[in-house]
Amino acid sequence: MYKNCQKEQSVQRQAHIARTFTNMLERRSFQEITVTDLCREAGVPRKAFYRYFDTKEDIVRFIADTILLAYLRMGDEPGQGEQVSEQNCRKMFAFWYEYRYHLRILVNSECVGLFSEYFTRSVLESGLGFEMGGWSESEHLPVAIFTTDGFISLLVYWVRTDFQDTPEEMGNLLYRMLTQPIF
C-alpha cells in the first residue's frame, strides 16, 4: 500500500517518485522497471521509496487514486449527480481527455487491469454513475464489474485509436449505449 502523506515535503516527494515512474513507463514496460532504477532516476535513496510505497504496483494505485479522486470530485459539481444525460456523458469524456496522458501510460504499460480494479471499487463505494436500487446486495459487485469494465474497455479503445474521436463524440456514443438497446 502507499502511504497517505500529511507533510507537504512528503507529499511532494511521493508525487515526484510517481511522476518519475510515469515518465519511465513511456520508455519501458512495467516489468522492466526496478525499484533501484526508479530511485536512481528520481534521485532519491531506495529507503525513501519504501517510506512512501511498498511496491511498484502501489505507484499505479497512487496514480489511479489521484485520478479517481479528481473524477469523484467532478460528481460534486452541480448537475453531475443527475440521471444519465448526454451532457453528463460528454463531461465525463472531457474529464478523461484531460487525463489522456495518464490513460495512455496506463494502457500502454499494461497497468490498466490495476486501474480497472480500483475504478470498480471506487464506483461501488461511492455509488457514482448508476443506481444500484434495482439489484440485490449480492448482485452489486457483478453489475459494477460489468458496467465499469465496459467503460474502461471503451477508454482503452479510445486510447488505442489515439483519441481519434472527440470527447463529445465519445460522450454521445456512451449515452446511446446506456439508453438504447444494444442487442
Side-chain angles (χ1 to χ4, degrees), residues 55-89:
T55 65
K56 292 187 308 183
E57 288 83 359
D58 289 338
I59 302 173
V60 175
R61 290 178 182 101
F62 175 81
I63 293 166
D65 283 348
T66 300
I67 296 170
L68 292 173
L69 281 173
Y71 186 76
L72 292 174
R73 277 190 224 108
M74 183 182 83
D76 293 338
E77 294 177 11
Q80 287 299 106
E82 302 168 1
Q83 291 288 351
V84 172
S85 73
E86 224 167 340
Q87 179 184 8
N88 285 347
C89 288

Side-chain angles (χ1 to χ4, degrees), residues 35 42 47:
V35 171
K47 184 175 162 182

Side-chain angles (χ1 to χ4, degrees), residues 71 74 86-100 103 151 155 158 163 166-171:
Y71 186 76
M74 183 182 83
E86 224 167 340
Q87 179 184 8
N88 285 347
C89 288
R90 284 190 213 116
K91 284 182 183 179
M92 189 183 313
F93 273 93
F95 170 86
W96 289 107
Y97 189 74
E98 287 180 37
Y99 285 88
R100 66 190 175 277
L103 281 174
F151 179 72
L155 289 175
W158 199 30
F163 304 96
T166 67
E168 294 79 18
E169 291 168 329
M170 292 301 293

Side-chain angles (χ1 to χ4, degrees), residues 1-177:
M1 197 64 180
Y2 66 86
K3 310 324 183 259
N4 190 7
C5 299
Q6 303 300 318
K7 295 180 180 177
E8 184 61 30
Q9 183 180 10
S10 295
V11 169
Q12 289 177 3
R13 187 175 247 187
Q14 185 178 42
H16 171 68
I17 292 169
R19 275 191 310 275
T20 302
F21 184 71
T22 303
N23 291 338
M24 291 176 76
L25 283 172
E26 289 185 69
R27 302 181 310 270
R28 297 163 66 183
S29 74
F30 179 83
Q31 291 76 19
E32 292 174 328
I33 299 171
T34 66
V35 171
T36 301
D37 293 339
L38 172 59
C39 292
R40 186 179 313 116
E41 191 153 329
V44 299
R46 188 176 169 95
K47 184 175 162 182
F49 172 85
Y50 291 107
R51 194 173 301 135
Y52 304 110
F53 303 99
D54 292 335
T55 65
K56 292 187 308 183
E57 288 83 359
D58 289 338
I59 302 173
V60 175
R61 290 178 182 101
F62 175 81
I63 293 166
D65 283 348
T66 300
I67 296 170
L68 292 173
L69 281 173
Y71 186 76
L72 292 174
R73 277 190 224 108
M74 183 182 83
D76 293 338
E77 294 177 11
Q80 287 299 106
E82 302 168 1
Q83 291 288 351
V84 172
S85 73
E86 224 167 340
Q87 179 184 8
N88 285 347
C89 288
R90 284 190 213 116
K91 284 182 183 179
M92 189 183 313
F93 273 93
F95 170 86
W96 289 107
Y97 189 74
E98 287 180 37
Y99 285 88
R100 66 190 175 277
Y101 170 77
H102 293 90
L103 281 174
R104 186 177 281 128
I105 295 297
L106 289 168
V107 169
N108 293 338
S109 65
E110 309 208 353
C111 294
V112 77
L114 279 174
F115 179 73
S116 180
E117 174 187 333
Y118 283 97
F119 185 77
T120 300
R121 183 171 30 91
S122 295
V123 166
L124 268 177
E125 290 172 359
S126 69
L128 180 71
F130 55 89
E131 271 299 315
M132 295 297 273
W135 303 96
S136 72
E137 184 89 17
S138 65
E139 294 171 322
H140 285 194
L141 182 59
V143 169
I145 290 169
F146 178 80
T147 305
T148 57
D149 279 358
F151 179 72
I152 294 292
S153 293
L154 192 56
L155 289 175
V156 168
Y157 161 80
W158 199 30
V159 169
R160 297 231 164 117
T161 60
D162 201 27
F163 304 96
Q164 182 177 341
D165 296 304
T166 67
E168 294 79 18
E169 291 168 329
M170 292 301 293
N172 293 341
L173 177 61
L174 177 62
Y175 178 74
R176 287 185 28 235
M177 289 173 157

